[in-house]
Amino acid sequence: MNSTIIQFTQVTKQYDNDPPVLNDVSFKIERGKFYTLLGPSGCGKTTILRLIAGFTEASKGEVLFNGKKINHVPANKRQVNTVFQDYALFPHLNVYENVAFGLRIKKMKNAEVDRKVKEALSFVNLKGYETREIREMSGGQRQRVAIARAIVNEPEVILLDEPLSALDLKLRTEMQYELRELQRRLGITFIFVTHDQEEALAMSDEIFVINKGKIQQSGTPIDIYDEPINRFVADFIGESNIVTGRMIEDYKVEFVGKEFECVDQGLNPNEPVDIVIRPEDLEITALERGKLQVRVDSQLFRGVHYEICGYDKDGNEWLVHSTKKATVGDEIGLYFDSEAIHVMRHGETEEEFDRRLEAYSDVDTNGK
Amino acid sequence: MWIQMENKLTKNLYLFPYLLWIALFVIAPILLVLYYSFFDIEGNLSLINYQKFFTPVYLKMTFSSFWYAFLITAISLLIAYPTAYLLTKTKHKQLWLLLIIVPSWINLLLKAYAFIGIFGTYGAANSFLNLMGIGSQQILFTDFSFIFVSVYIFIPFMILPIFNSLNELNPTLLDAANDLGASKWTTFRRVIFPLTIDGVKSGCQVVFIPALSLFMLTRLIAGNRVITLGTSIEQHFLVTQDWGMGSTIAVFLIIIMVVIMVVTNTRKRGV
């Protein structure tokens, strides 16, 4: 069986003469994985979901499902089900009938409906809630009903449109575990839309980072966190320090007026680049031992770590996550490994980026 | 303590106009109607009026009132529901709604007289029929003209509550139904209609109950060919001077209205 279940080929979505909501987007979704579409609001992530669900049609390009073009297939004929942001549970039906809705439309026998609905409800830990009205359910419980209503139809793909955004923090974290667990047990494809980067990193097999109607970067959470392709991704995923620099030659980069060793290669000599260093990769040390010298401007206690903000003498801001405390007003040294430096080329496309990364690993294996 | 008493006093003070209104214009007339219904035409205390009500003449009249009120309500609903649905889809829905409501501000009598002009032998409708080569027809003083004009008068009151309940409907619910495999028609049958049933009910109430006691239109438009309970009440009070019988019919009309209101007024479900 082909592992690709959904494929977008150069899909554009445009309303009237407004700038396109999605601009020439192509990607593949594989069977049985947990995908996250991550981006700020208005970036086009929900549009991708609506295109897959069939609530809207692409202006250009092809949407393939199991290798078949489904651009004009109406939503009620598609093998996907959606969990909506506001759950969209039917207020005139109780929990049982909400979950049974899809099955009843298929004219399934009552005994069969009963078995499936009970199974779905126990899957989401809502056994015994069958006769409850929707308005008697809490936010978290409604969420589960919405999930049960989607999985009971045994779709190949479940689409989740920011389903956790209405829950409080504790419940949200709990549901993150549950959703991930559910996806593993069901073994079907989940496509999850969120603007919460932590949620995306914690839950996904694959993340698509989307901005301004384009997929900026796709990859595993670790890939995207460790090797952001550009300023937007670096900034959107996690906290980061971004400064401009210059690639002197392979393994040598210059920024804040100093030369540093790095692990990047394959760039043009003297090419201008952006440098990213994650706050947790910066280590507080004695002034003279530090690769950077900054004056501590502010310090916040975050529970797990201190968030320290300092400025170097050129006025660049440096954010440090450290379990060690600093004193505001002091000058401290910051140490980091050469691996901590991430070099980003200007305007590099994802393909070029991937090719360059592959080139590194070739060198690594050759060297061993 | 003193402030609480003061509060209670002002509360009662605000309640006073309402209570006065109810007493003078609701309770007193009902009691009066009830009182008069126990007197026959000679002014003797008797139950003869109630006996008379159950004779074929009045039962037929009751049935015909119900039948016409039902027709008017059903036709209004058939036209109003799709209209309200289309209105919620338009860009300037509040404006379109206003345009539909505006005619209801015009006096009922004026509208009735306007229709006499339009439907009359030399009216606009007949000139049009002549022009089409069909020739003049008797339009005025028929069942058709009666129902047509009644529907015209009542339809804004049917559209308004239905429009409101359709307007409050969460559009994601329609996506959800569609997503779960429902066709457009199934979505309407299983989601849209059940969720707007409250609007339909109050629309039917607002149309059916006044339609039961229509009397002016029966004379002006239907030319007394349609006799409803409303016409009969009017005739008894103004023509035959049998206030007792008129009151008895009114008592039954009130009972019927209360029953209809209780039956159609189920609790509104929270979302």
Side-chain angles (χ1 to χ4, degrees), chain A residues 82 84 86-103 105 132-135 137 142 145-146 149-150 153, chain B residues 169-182 186-188 190-192 194-195 269-271:
Chain A
T82 310
F84 294 88
D86 58 358
Y87 318 140
L89 298 172
F90 304 119
H92 60 301
L93 302 175
N94 64 16
V95 170
Y96 184 95
E97 285 303 324
N98 259 285
V99 178
F101 192 88
L103 305 178
I105 282 167
R132 291 273 188 106
E133 295 294 328
I134 296 306
R135 63 167 186 281
M137 307 288 273
R142 287 179 197 200
V145 178
R149 189 176 67 175
N153 301 294
Chain B
L169 197 69
N170 177 359
T172 339
L173 290 178
L174 310 187
D175 277 348
N178 205 219
D179 186 72
L180 292 164
T186 317
T187 305
F188 175 77
R190 293 198 168 219
V191 180
I192 302 178
L195 283 175
R269 282 189 177 201
V271 177

Side-chain angles (χ1 to χ4, degrees), chain B residues 189-207:
Chain B
R189 207 163 46 87
R190 293 198 168 219
V191 180
I192 302 178
F193 193 72
L195 283 175
T196 52
I197 192 79
D198 283 331
V200 172
K201 273 184 192 164
S202 43
C204 288
Q205 238 176 49
V206 176
V207 172

Side-chain angles (χ1 to χ4, degrees), chain A residues 75-284:
Chain A
N76 56 336
K77 303 269 183 250
R78 295 194 187 189
Q79 286 287 309
V80 294
N81 284 115
T82 310
V83 176
F84 294 88
Q85 186 168 10
D86 58 358
Y87 318 140
L89 298 172
F90 304 119
H92 60 301
L93 302 175
N94 64 16
V95 170
Y96 184 95
E97 285 303 324
N98 259 285
V99 178
F101 192 88
L103 305 178
R104 295 229 189 272
I105 282 167
K106 286 184 208 142
K107 304 255 189 290
M108 200 173 273
K109 287 208 184 73
N110 268 331
E112 186 87 337
V113 170
D114 197 56
R115 191 179 61 74
K116 289 199 176 206
V117 169
K118 293 220 161 110
E119 192 184 80
L121 282 175
S122 68
F123 231 88
V124 293
N125 296 324
L126 280 181
K127 226 179 192 161
Y129 286 84
E130 285 87 351
T131 55
R132 291 273 188 106
E133 295 294 328
I134 296 306
R135 63 167 186 281
E136 294 166 353
M137 307 288 273
S138 71
Q141 289 170 332
R142 287 179 197 200
Q143 169 77 76
R144 286 163 211 256
V145 178
I147 293 166
R149 189 176 67 175
I151 62 174
V152 79
N153 301 294
E154 293 163 8
E156 293 194 64
V157 177
I158 287 191
L159 309 172
L160 303 108
D161 186 7
E162 308 209 20
L164 307 182
S165 60
L167 304 178
D168 62 62
L169 185 66
K170 201 161 176 326
L171 200 56
R172 196 155 72 215
T173 328
E174 217 176 285
M175 285 304 292
Q176 286 172 8
Y177 278 104
E178 275 188 35
L179 273 180
R180 182 72 236 225
E181 172 62 25
L182 191 70
Q183 187 268 333
R184 288 216 176 98
R185 276 194 287 162
L186 290 168
I188 58 176
T189 314
F190 272 42
I191 304 177
F192 185 91
V193 160
T194 183
H195 59 258
D196 184 333
Q197 42 101 5
E198 276 178 42
E199 209 163 273
L201 291 173
M203 298 169 75
S204 327
D205 290 317
E206 291 270 331
I207 298 178
F208 292 167
V209 184
I210 303 166
N211 190 33
K212 293 180 181 160
K214 282 261 184 202
I215 294 181
Q216 302 289 325
Q217 190 173 8
S218 59
T220 65
I222 293 172
D223 282 350
I224 286 182
Y225 190 82
D226 282 351
E227 297 292 344
I229 188 172
N230 57 29
R231 237 171 209 271
F232 173 79
V233 177
D235 209 30
F236 197 73
I237 307 274
E239 307 261 19
S240 43
N241 297 297
I242 307 175
V243 291
T244 52
R246 186 165 62 85
M247 201 72 191
I248 298 167
E249 57 188 64
D250 283 357
Y251 310 119
K252 230 174 220 167
V253 68
E254 182 245 292
F255 57 92
V256 292
K258 286 181 198 165
E259 226 173 81
F260 295 98
E261 256 182 46
C262 67
V263 292
D264 294 81
Q265 50 119 353
L267 286 80
N268 301 325
N270 290 323
E271 185 180 324
V273 289
D274 281 330
I275 305 296
V276 177
I277 302 179
R278 296 288 185 189
E280 65 273 19
D281 289 338
L282 290 170
E283 199 181 309
I284 297 176

Side-chain angles (χ1 to χ4, degrees), chain B residues 238-259:
Chain B
L238 301 181
V239 184
T240 64
Q241 301 281 317
D242 186 354
W243 285 28
M245 194 59 220
S247 298
T248 309
I249 301 170
V251 167
F252 278 102
L253 208 51
I254 291 168
I255 292 170
I256 293 167
M257 286 173 182
V258 170
V259 168

